[in-house]
Amino acid sequence: MNRVLLSILCGVCGAALMSAYAQRIKGSDTLLPLTQELSESYLKRNPASEIVVTGGGTGVGLASLLENTTDIAMASRRVKFGEKMKFAKAGFDMIEEVVAYDALAVVVNPENPVNELTREQLEGIFRGKITNWKEVGGEDLRIVVYSRETSSGTYEFFKESVLHNKNYMSGVLSMPATGAVIQSVRQTKGAIGYIGLAYLNPYVKALAVSYDGGRRYVLPSVKNASDGTYPIVRPLYYYYDVEKAAMVQPFVSFIKSADGQCMVEKQGFVPVRNEDVTIK
Amino acid sequence: MKKFFEAIVRGVLTCSGFVTSLVILLIIGFLFTEGAGLFNEPMVEEGYVLALNKENDVSSLTAEQIKAVFDEDIVNWKEIGGRDMPITTFRLEDVERYFTVEELGSEYEHVGMCIASLIARSPGMIAFVPQSMLPADAEVRYIDDSTISLSEVFAGTEWFPTATPAPLFGIVPLLAGTLWVSLFAILFALPFGLSVAVYMSEVASERMRSVLKPVIELLNGIPSVVYGFFGLIVIVPLLQQGFNLPVGESGLAGSIVLAIMALPTMITVAEDAMRSCPRSLREASLALGATRWQTICKVVIPSSMSGITSGIVLGIGRAVGETMAVLMVTGNAAIIPTSIVEPLRTIPATIAAELGEAPAGGAHYQALFLLGVILFFITLVINMSVEYISSRNKYKLR
């Protein structure tokens, strides 16, 4: 009996010791499933190391980096200027690594003849200044605007990138999930909405988007997003302190390796361009 | 020994009654304190200020005006009582557009100075920055900071809880949406519910009843998210094609789903009430030569009126408080509904969709609690009116 107890105790101590050396990764829920998947396959190759991944949101991850309760912060946005100031005050020298890109596709009903829109037109539509498809070269049909709930990171990113931080109109229909947006766009003829690139399917039609006033329209695809021609793309970051660089480097370089980026693509994100991978 | 045992039982019963009441009171107290906190929150995000050039003589702005300024719907100061000059907005994130890293300093120690000097040299600028960042002797003017006012919340028609710098918490569209969708749900459910209840208690054979009753009670056991899903996939496209609507997600879809959900409760309670109508009353009516139909509508229904009303009210309660199903089918657009085929947003759906990401203790969080308080009052009023109706009916019968 005693021996059993002792061995359990040893096991617990061992686990505790191990986790003291474990890398802690915390932050964005967008990156959470991808990081978990990546860490699992990393651990298969390096059984000696240990990685603990938790979510909580970008803000939470960066705050814990500051309090030294995590080693890597996952972020679905660039660190804000206010946060940068806090890090600088605390004497952190942060390293920023882009591990993947996430692209948003603007989708309409497949029966809609409109194929392309400029950013200014999209802003007008989502802010309620343009209310009929004929104003942007379509049929005489009311535009029905679908958005996500305010709690969604996608909502914030779309607001920042397409609306330049202005507010959506109050009549916008907010859906609780990406699946609901797809379902609604699929069955509503005058609908427009935005979804993550990974969710694109044949039941909705993606629009080509132009950010330079209509000179060049680009369709969303993994290729266009990774070579930088598609504009509604957000980089997903890892942040860590320079002092921890030696400790976290193996995992970060695994993500940026060909194998890691292959998994990134499988999870529906856009892999980082090759030039970025080689620059270390 | 027996007496002692009885005393213990009595003690336990009293105690559990007290504990339950206390817990309910505590929950209500918590709801009220959190909700009332909203009116102590500053209009502009806590710790931040809106700074203007010293020459600018605008001293106060409402939340709507601030939103319009930062949305670039208002582009000239004269529209909001200032002099004729264009408005430039500035957020902290823009600082890197105006200054180089060298100017800001290695630890960003010069940021406050830089921003202050920027405001000082641009007459039409309005800057949204943390108060602690600007130096105390900065040559800028601040917009007077007031707390969120009662009228802005209770008479406000715009719900923008995450707008920066000044969120808008107008509850009118949410309140109107909730009442509107519940009203139609009850209008749909009432005739069906009553007729099914009458059929089951008075007309149906015993065998029919033994089949129907479990089926209807089964409806009660379906999770509301399944109803919502069903609504989104089946009812929404049906309405859209049937009525040729631009949007299928509408108050109508919501009220149909809610009506289906409220039916089982209404039917079960109303049917039980009618069945418990004393046999002697029925027999007396039939003995006087009344037909079966006359007996039902002149004797059975009036005598079980209080039970029927409570069934209806339980149904209304379910409709008002239902969250998941309406969240999925009503489209959640925070606008005051003008017809039932427009999208609308209800109070429970708003709380469910937004509470998860609202920072605890912030204005948005407290606004959601305030919505909870309002929902509480709606149900309270409904319950009290039922008490009143049923007590009046009893009095009449005597």
Side-chain angles (χ1 to χ4, degrees), chain B residues 14 33 42 50 55 66 96 121 134 185 211 219 234 251 258 294 298 305 307 345 356 381 387 389-390:
Chain B
T14 323
T33 44
L50 289 171
E55 310 277 294
I66 296 174
E96 281 160 321
R121 69 170 184 264
L134 291 177
V211 176
L219 271 182
V234 180
L258 285 181
Q294 283 169 330
K298 292 279 159 76
M305 204 55 204
R345 191 177 181 93
V381 167
E387 293 279 321
I389 291 168
S390 55

Side-chain angles (χ1 to χ4, degrees), chain A residues 41-53:
Chain A
S41 84
Y42 176 76
L43 291 178
K44 252 178 225 158
R45 288 159 207 226
N46 306 282
S49 51
E50 193 162 336
I51 298 177
V52 182
V53 188

Side-chain angles (χ1 to χ4, degrees), chain B residues 88-100:
Chain B
T88 346
T89 59
F90 176 87
R91 293 171 196 259
L92 194 54
E93 275 66 45
D94 299 331
V95 78
E96 281 160 321
R97 272 212 334 251
Y98 289 93
F99 300 101
T100 62

Side-chain angles (χ1 to χ4, degrees), chain A residues 81 84-85 88 127 129 142 144 146 149-151 165-168 170-175 183-184 187-188, chain B residues 67 71-73 95-96 108 133 160 163 232-233 236-237 240 246-247 249 331-334 345 353-354 357:
Chain A
F81 189 78
K84 235 188 223 176
M85 287 185 58
R127 297 202 55 221
K129 312 283 176 210
R142 204 183 109 190
V144 183
Y146 288 92
E149 280 294 347
T150 51
S151 56
N165 271 323
K166 292 166 203 156
N167 288 299
Y168 294 84
S170 52
V172 64
L173 279 81
S174 5
M175 307 309 275
Q183 177 67 26
S184 301
Q187 64 199 24
T188 308
Chain B
K67 173 177 166 276
D71 278 357
E72 291 169 25
D73 287 333
V95 78
E96 281 160 321
Y108 300 111
M133 193 177 277
F160 279 103
L232 185 63
I233 308 287
V236 167
Q240 198 169 8
V247 210
E249 288 93 347
N332 300 319
R345 191 177 181 93
E354 292 174 7
E357 290 286 318

